[in-house]
PDB file of all heavy atoms in Angstrom:
ATOM      1  N   ARG Q   6     153.887 -12.774 166.981  1.00 89.00           N
ATOM      2  CA  ARG Q   6     153.174 -12.020 165.937  1.00 89.00           C
ATOM      3  C   ARG Q   6     152.270 -12.956 165.145  1.00 89.00           C
ATOM      4  O   ARG Q   6     151.130 -12.608 164.830  1.00 89.00           O
ATOM      5  CB  ARG Q   6     154.163 -11.313 165.012  1.00 89.00           C
ATOM      6  CG  ARG Q   6     154.694 -10.009 165.580  1.00 89.00           C
ATOM      7  CD  ARG Q   6     155.397  -9.168 164.516  1.00 89.00           C
ATOM      8  NE  ARG Q   6     156.479  -9.854 163.838  1.00 89.00           N
ATOM      9  CZ  ARG Q   6     157.736  -9.916 164.267  1.00 89.00           C
ATOM     10  NH1 ARG Q   6     158.089  -9.318 165.389  1.00 89.00           N
ATOM     11  NH2 ARG Q   6     158.655 -10.555 163.567  1.00 89.00           N
ATOM     12  N   ILE Q  11     146.848 -14.874 163.797  1.00 96.00           N
ATOM     13  CA  ILE Q  11     145.860 -15.938 163.576  1.00 96.00           C
ATOM     14  C   ILE Q  11     144.684 -15.785 164.537  1.00 96.00           C
ATOM     15  O   ILE Q  11     143.520 -15.794 164.127  1.00 96.00           O
ATOM     16  CB  ILE Q  11     146.508 -17.325 163.720  1.00 96.00           C
ATOM     17  CG1 ILE Q  11     147.518 -17.549 162.595  1.00 96.00           C
ATOM     18  CG2 ILE Q  11     145.452 -18.430 163.729  1.00 96.00           C
ATOM     19  CD1 ILE Q  11     148.436 -18.733 162.807  1.00 96.00           C
ATOM     20  N   ALA Q  12     144.989 -15.648 165.824  1.00 96.00           N
ATOM     21  CA  ALA Q  12     143.917 -15.498 166.814  1.00 96.00           C
ATOM     22  C   ALA Q  12     143.114 -14.232 166.536  1.00 96.00           C
ATOM     23  O   ALA Q  12     141.879 -14.231 166.630  1.00 96.00           O
ATOM     24  CB  ALA Q  12     144.508 -15.455 168.227  1.00 96.00           C
ATOM     25  N   GLY Q  13     143.809 -13.156 166.167  1.00 97.00           N
ATOM     26  CA  GLY Q  13     143.129 -11.898 165.866  1.00 97.00           C
ATOM     27  C   GLY Q  13     142.214 -12.013 164.663  1.00 97.00           C
ATOM     28  O   GLY Q  13     141.108 -11.458 164.658  1.00 97.00           O
ATOM     29  N   ALA Q  29     121.237  -7.758 160.779  1.00 97.00           N
ATOM     30  CA  ALA Q  29     120.501  -8.109 159.566  1.00 97.00           C
ATOM     31  C   ALA Q  29     119.342  -9.080 159.799  1.00 97.00           C
ATOM     32  O   ALA Q  29     118.458  -9.176 158.952  1.00 97.00           O
ATOM     33  CB  ALA Q  29     121.464  -8.707 158.540  1.00 97.00           C
ATOM     34  N   MET Q  30     119.348  -9.782 160.913  1.00 97.00           N
ATOM     35  CA  MET Q  30     118.344 -10.825 161.133  1.00 97.00           C
ATOM     36  C   MET Q  30     117.647 -10.606 162.470  1.00 97.00           C
ATOM     37  O   MET Q  30     118.219 -10.023 163.382  1.00 97.00           O
ATOM     38  CB  MET Q  30     119.006 -12.213 161.124  1.00 97.00           C
ATOM     39  CG  MET Q  30     119.686 -12.572 159.831  1.00 97.00           C
ATOM     40  SD  MET Q  30     120.513 -14.192 159.905  1.00 97.00           S
ATOM     41  CE  MET Q  30     119.099 -15.288 159.915  1.00 97.00           C
ATOM     42  N   PRO Q  37     117.769 -19.946 154.136  1.00 95.00           N
ATOM     43  CA  PRO Q  37     118.532 -21.000 153.451  1.00 95.00           C
ATOM     44  C   PRO Q  37     119.631 -20.412 152.574  1.00 95.00           C
ATOM     45  O   PRO Q  37     119.424 -19.415 151.895  1.00 95.00           O
ATOM     46  CB  PRO Q  37     117.480 -21.716 152.602  1.00 95.00           C
ATOM     47  CG  PRO Q  37     116.303 -20.819 152.550  1.00 95.00           C
ATOM     48  CD  PRO Q  37     116.398 -19.838 153.667  1.00 95.00           C
ATOM     49  N   LEU Q  38     120.810 -21.020 152.625  1.00 95.00           N
ATOM     50  CA  LEU Q  38     121.924 -20.624 151.762  1.00 95.00           C
ATOM     51  C   LEU Q  38     122.179 -21.655 150.676  1.00 95.00           C
ATOM     52  O   LEU Q  38     122.372 -21.317 149.523  1.00 95.00           O
ATOM     53  CB  LEU Q  38     123.204 -20.419 152.578  1.00 95.00           C
ATOM     54  CG  LEU Q  38     123.224 -19.271 153.569  1.00 95.00           C
ATOM     55  CD1 LEU Q  38     124.553 -19.230 154.301  1.00 95.00           C
ATOM     56  CD2 LEU Q  38     122.964 -17.947 152.880  1.00 95.00           C
ATOM     57  N   ASP Q  41     118.344 -26.844 151.964  1.00 90.00           N
ATOM     58  CA  ASP Q  41     118.100 -27.062 153.385  1.00 90.00           C
ATOM     59  C   ASP Q  41     119.385 -27.477 154.108  1.00 90.00           C
ATOM     60  O   ASP Q  41     119.406 -27.587 155.317  1.00 90.00           O
ATOM     61  CB  ASP Q  41     117.024 -28.145 153.553  1.00 90.00           C
ATOM     62  CG  ASP Q  41     116.558 -28.289 154.984  1.00 90.00           C
ATOM     63  OD1 ASP Q  41     116.349 -27.252 155.639  1.00 90.00           O
ATOM     64  OD2 ASP Q  41     116.434 -29.436 155.458  1.00 90.00           O
ATOM     65  N   ALA Q  53     127.653 -23.552 176.178  1.00 62.00           N
ATOM     66  CA  ALA Q  53     128.940 -23.655 175.487  1.00 62.00           C
ATOM     67  C   ALA Q  53     128.712 -24.022 174.035  1.00 62.00           C
ATOM     68  O   ALA Q  53     127.587 -24.028 173.548  1.00 62.00           O
ATOM     69  CB  ALA Q  53     129.805 -24.710 176.181  1.00 62.00           C
ATOM     70  N   TYR Q  62     124.115 -22.179 185.995  1.00 73.00           N
ATOM     71  CA  TYR Q  62     125.478 -21.678 186.144  1.00 73.00           C
ATOM     72  C   TYR Q  62     126.280 -21.746 184.848  1.00 73.00           C
ATOM     73  O   TYR Q  62     127.491 -21.546 184.858  1.00 73.00           O
ATOM     74  CB  TYR Q  62     126.208 -22.440 187.252  1.00 73.00           C
ATOM     75  CG  TYR Q  62     125.519 -22.304 188.583  1.00 73.00           C
ATOM     76  CD1 TYR Q  62     124.814 -23.365 189.132  1.00 73.00           C
ATOM     77  CD2 TYR Q  62     125.543 -21.095 189.266  1.00 73.00           C
ATOM     78  CE1 TYR Q  62     124.165 -23.230 190.348  1.00 73.00           C
ATOM     79  CE2 TYR Q  62     124.899 -20.948 190.483  1.00 73.00           C
ATOM     80  CZ  TYR Q  62     124.208 -22.020 191.014  1.00 73.00           C
ATOM     81  OH  TYR Q  62     123.560 -21.880 192.215  1.00 73.00           O
ATOM     82  N   SER Q  63     125.633 -22.015 183.726  1.00 72.00           N
ATOM     83  CA  SER Q  63     126.336 -22.164 182.445  1.00 72.00           C
ATOM     84  C   SER Q  63     127.222 -20.969 182.136  1.00 72.00           C
ATOM     85  O   SER Q  63     128.388 -21.132 181.777  1.00 72.00           O
ATOM     86  CB  SER Q  63     125.343 -22.371 181.301  1.00 72.00           C
ATOM     87  OG  SER Q  63     124.802 -23.655 181.351  1.00 72.00           O
ATOM     88  N   ARG Q  64     126.684 -19.764 182.261  1.00 75.00           N
ATOM     89  CA  ARG Q  64     127.462 -18.576 181.907  1.00 75.00           C
ATOM     90  C   ARG Q  64     128.729 -18.483 182.753  1.00 75.00           C
ATOM     91  O   ARG Q  64     129.830 -18.286 182.227  1.00 75.00           O
ATOM     92  CB  ARG Q  64     126.616 -17.324 182.078  1.00 75.00           C
ATOM     93  CG  ARG Q  64     127.367 -16.060 181.731  1.00 75.00           C
ATOM     94  CD  ARG Q  64     126.488 -14.841 181.888  1.00 75.00           C
ATOM     95  NE  ARG Q  64     127.233 -13.623 181.625  1.00 75.00           N
ATOM     96  CZ  ARG Q  64     126.850 -12.434 181.991  1.00 75.00           C
ATOM     97  NH1 ARG Q  64     125.709 -12.277 182.617  1.00 75.00           N
ATOM     98  NH2 ARG Q  64     127.582 -11.376 181.722  1.00 75.00           N
ATOM     99  N   VAL Q  73     140.439 -19.948 181.882  1.00 92.00           N
ATOM    100  CA  VAL Q  73     141.464 -20.951 182.195  1.00 92.00           C
ATOM    101  C   VAL Q  73     142.117 -21.449 180.901  1.00 92.00           C
ATOM    102  O   VAL Q  73     143.340 -21.584 180.817  1.00 92.00           O
ATOM    103  CB  VAL Q  73     140.863 -22.113 183.013  1.00 92.00           C
ATOM    104  CG1 VAL Q  73     141.831 -23.289 183.102  1.00 92.00           C
ATOM    105  CG2 VAL Q  73     140.463 -21.639 184.400  1.00 92.00           C
ATOM    106  N   ALA Q  74     141.301 -21.704 179.883  1.00 89.00           N
ATOM    107  CA  ALA Q  74     141.836 -22.177 178.604  1.00 89.00           C
ATOM    108  C   ALA Q  74     142.798 -21.165 178.005  1.00 89.00           C
ATOM    109  O   ALA Q  74     143.858 -21.529 177.488  1.00 89.00           O
ATOM    110  CB  ALA Q  74     140.694 -22.465 177.628  1.00 89.00           C
ATOM    111  N   GLY Q  88     159.874 -22.968 165.260  1.00 78.00           N
ATOM    112  CA  GLY Q  88     159.577 -23.726 164.040  1.00 78.00           C
ATOM    113  C   GLY Q  88     158.312 -24.553 164.075  1.00 78.00           C
ATOM    114  O   GLY Q  88     157.923 -25.148 163.073  1.00 78.00           O
ATOM    115  N   LEU Q  98     144.169 -20.693 166.874  1.00 97.00           N
ATOM    116  CA  LEU Q  98     142.769 -20.877 166.463  1.00 97.00           C
ATOM    117  C   LEU Q  98     141.874 -21.081 167.682  1.00 97.00           C
ATOM    118  O   LEU Q  98     140.806 -20.473 167.788  1.00 97.00           O
ATOM    119  CB  LEU Q  98     142.637 -22.069 165.515  1.00 97.00           C
ATOM    120  CG  LEU Q  98     143.142 -21.884 164.094  1.00 97.00           C
ATOM    121  CD1 LEU Q  98     143.188 -23.229 163.362  1.00 97.00           C
ATOM    122  CD2 LEU Q  98     142.281 -20.892 163.332  1.00 97.00           C
ATOM    123  N   GLY Q 105     136.481 -14.989 171.246  1.00 95.00           N
ATOM    124  CA  GLY Q 105     135.245 -14.522 170.613  1.00 95.00           C
ATOM    125  C   GLY Q 105     134.008 -14.883 171.409  1.00 95.00           C
ATOM    126  O   GLY Q 105     133.133 -14.037 171.652  1.00 95.00           O
ATOM    127  N   ASN Q 106     133.909 -16.130 171.829  1.00 93.00           N
ATOM    128  CA  ASN Q 106     132.745 -16.545 172.612  1.00 93.00           C
ATOM    129  C   ASN Q 106     132.770 -15.960 174.020  1.00 93.00           C
ATOM    130  O   ASN Q 106     131.721 -15.652 174.583  1.00 93.00           O
ATOM    131  CB  ASN Q 106     132.632 -18.069 172.640  1.00 93.00           C
ATOM    132  CG  ASN Q 106     132.065 -18.621 171.345  1.00 93.00           C
ATOM    133  OD1 ASN Q 106     131.413 -17.913 170.581  1.00 93.00           O
ATOM    134  ND2 ASN Q 106     132.322 -19.884 171.086  1.00 93.00           N
ATOM    135  N   LEU Q 107     133.964 -15.772 174.575  1.00 92.00           N
ATOM    136  CA  LEU Q 107     134.082 -15.149 175.892  1.00 92.00           C
ATOM    137  C   LEU Q 107     133.551 -13.718 175.849  1.00 92.00           C
ATOM    138  O   LEU Q 107     132.817 -13.291 176.752  1.00 92.00           O
ATOM    139  CB  LEU Q 107     135.540 -15.168 176.352  1.00 92.00           C
ATOM    140  CG  LEU Q 107     135.842 -14.496 177.687  1.00 92.00           C
ATOM    141  CD1 LEU Q 107     135.115 -15.207 178.830  1.00 92.00           C
ATOM    142  CD2 LEU Q 107     137.346 -14.498 177.941  1.00 92.00           C
ATOM    143  N   ARG Q 110     129.803 -13.892 175.860  1.00 90.00           N
ATOM    144  CA  ARG Q 110     129.290 -14.344 177.150  1.00 90.00           C
ATOM    145  C   ARG Q 110     129.343 -13.223 178.185  1.00 90.00           C
ATOM    146  O   ARG Q 110     128.402 -13.006 178.936  1.00 90.00           O
ATOM    147  CB  ARG Q 110     130.095 -15.549 177.612  1.00 90.00           C
ATOM    148  CG  ARG Q 110     129.293 -16.538 178.385  1.00 90.00           C
ATOM    149  CD  ARG Q 110     130.043 -17.844 178.602  1.00 90.00           C
ATOM    150  NE  ARG Q 110     129.775 -18.754 177.501  1.00 90.00           N
ATOM    151  CZ  ARG Q 110     130.701 -19.201 176.664  1.00 90.00           C
ATOM    152  NH1 ARG Q 110     131.951 -18.857 176.792  1.00 90.00           N
ATOM    153  NH2 ARG Q 110     130.375 -20.011 175.693  1.00 90.00           N
ATOM    154  N   GLY Q 114     125.833 -11.875 177.725  1.00 87.00           N
ATOM    155  CA  GLY Q 114     125.254 -12.888 178.605  1.00 87.00           C
ATOM    156  C   GLY Q 114     124.981 -14.202 177.902  1.00 87.00           C
ATOM    157  O   GLY Q 114     124.616 -15.190 178.523  1.00 87.00           O
ATOM    158  N   ALA Q 115     125.155 -14.229 176.588  1.00 88.00           N
ATOM    159  CA  ALA Q 115     124.940 -15.432 175.783  1.00 88.00           C
ATOM    160  C   ALA Q 115     125.724 -15.273 174.487  1.00 88.00           C
ATOM    161  O   ALA Q 115     126.074 -14.170 174.088  1.00 88.00           O
ATOM    162  CB  ALA Q 115     123.462 -15.640 175.494  1.00 88.00           C
ATOM    163  N   ARG Q 128     119.906 -32.052 162.195  1.00 94.00           N
ATOM    164  CA  ARG Q 128     120.729 -30.855 162.127  1.00 94.00           C
ATOM    165  C   ARG Q 128     121.774 -30.872 163.241  1.00 94.00           C
ATOM    166  O   ARG Q 128     121.522 -31.343 164.331  1.00 94.00           O
ATOM    167  CB  ARG Q 128     119.867 -29.607 162.260  1.00 94.00           C
ATOM    168  CG  ARG Q 128     118.681 -29.622 161.288  1.00 94.00           C
ATOM    169  CD  ARG Q 128     118.229 -28.285 160.869  1.00 94.00           C
ATOM    170  NE  ARG Q 128     119.171 -27.554 160.066  1.00 94.00           N
ATOM    171  CZ  ARG Q 128     119.359 -27.734 158.753  1.00 94.00           C
ATOM    172  NH1 ARG Q 128     118.701 -28.664 158.108  1.00 94.00           N
ATOM    173  NH2 ARG Q 128     120.214 -26.989 158.109  1.00 94.00           N
ATOM    174  N   TRP Q 129     122.938 -30.353 162.919  1.00 93.00           N
ATOM    175  CA  TRP Q 129     123.973 -30.134 163.926  1.00 93.00           C
ATOM    176  C   TRP Q 129     123.524 -28.928 164.741  1.00 93.00           C
ATOM    177  O   TRP Q 129     122.875 -28.030 164.189  1.00 93.00           O
ATOM    178  CB  TRP Q 129     125.302 -29.870 163.218  1.00 93.00           C
ATOM    179  CG  TRP Q 129     126.474 -29.855 164.140  1.00 93.00           C
ATOM    180  CD1 TRP Q 129     127.098 -28.759 164.629  1.00 93.00           C
ATOM    181  CD2 TRP Q 129     127.135 -30.980 164.692  1.00 93.00           C
ATOM    182  NE1 TRP Q 129     128.123 -29.135 165.460  1.00 93.00           N
ATOM    183  CE2 TRP Q 129     128.165 -30.501 165.517  1.00 93.00           C
ATOM    184  CE3 TRP Q 129     126.962 -32.361 164.576  1.00 93.00           C
ATOM    185  CZ2 TRP Q 129     129.021 -31.329 166.218  1.00 93.00           C
ATOM    186  CZ3 TRP Q 129     127.808 -33.187 165.280  1.00 93.00           C
ATOM    187  CH2 TRP Q 129     128.827 -32.683 166.090  1.00 93.00           C
ATOM    188  N   THR Q 140     137.146 -25.715 167.346  1.00 94.00           N
ATOM    189  CA  THR Q 140     137.057 -27.110 166.910  1.00 94.00           C
ATOM    190  C   THR Q 140     138.189 -27.479 165.961  1.00 94.00           C
ATOM    191  O   THR Q 140     138.853 -28.508 166.144  1.00 94.00           O
ATOM    192  CB  THR Q 140     135.688 -27.372 166.251  1.00 94.00           C
ATOM    193  OG1 THR Q 140     134.653 -27.046 167.191  1.00 94.00           O
ATOM    194  CG2 THR Q 140     135.542 -28.818 165.822  1.00 94.00           C
ATOM    195  N   PRO Q 156     155.196 -44.391 167.552  1.00 68.00           N
ATOM    196  CA  PRO Q 156     156.552 -44.926 167.766  1.00 68.00           C
ATOM    197  C   PRO Q 156     157.393 -44.775 166.500  1.00 68.00           C
ATOM    198  O   PRO Q 156     156.911 -44.976 165.399  1.00 68.00           O
ATOM    199  CB  PRO Q 156     156.319 -46.385 168.106  1.00 68.00           C
ATOM    200  CG  PRO Q 156     154.895 -46.681 167.850  1.00 68.00           C
ATOM    201  CD  PRO Q 156     154.166 -45.392 167.636  1.00 68.00           C
TER     202      PRO Q 156
END
Side-chain angles (χ1 to χ4, degrees):
R6 279 194 304 274
I11 293 167
M30 299 177 72
L38 294 179
D41 189 43
Y62 300 107
S63 286
R64 180 179 177 198
V73 168
L98 286 169
N106 283 339
L107 177 63
R110 213 169 270 117
R128 309 209 67 80
W129 190 259
T140 302

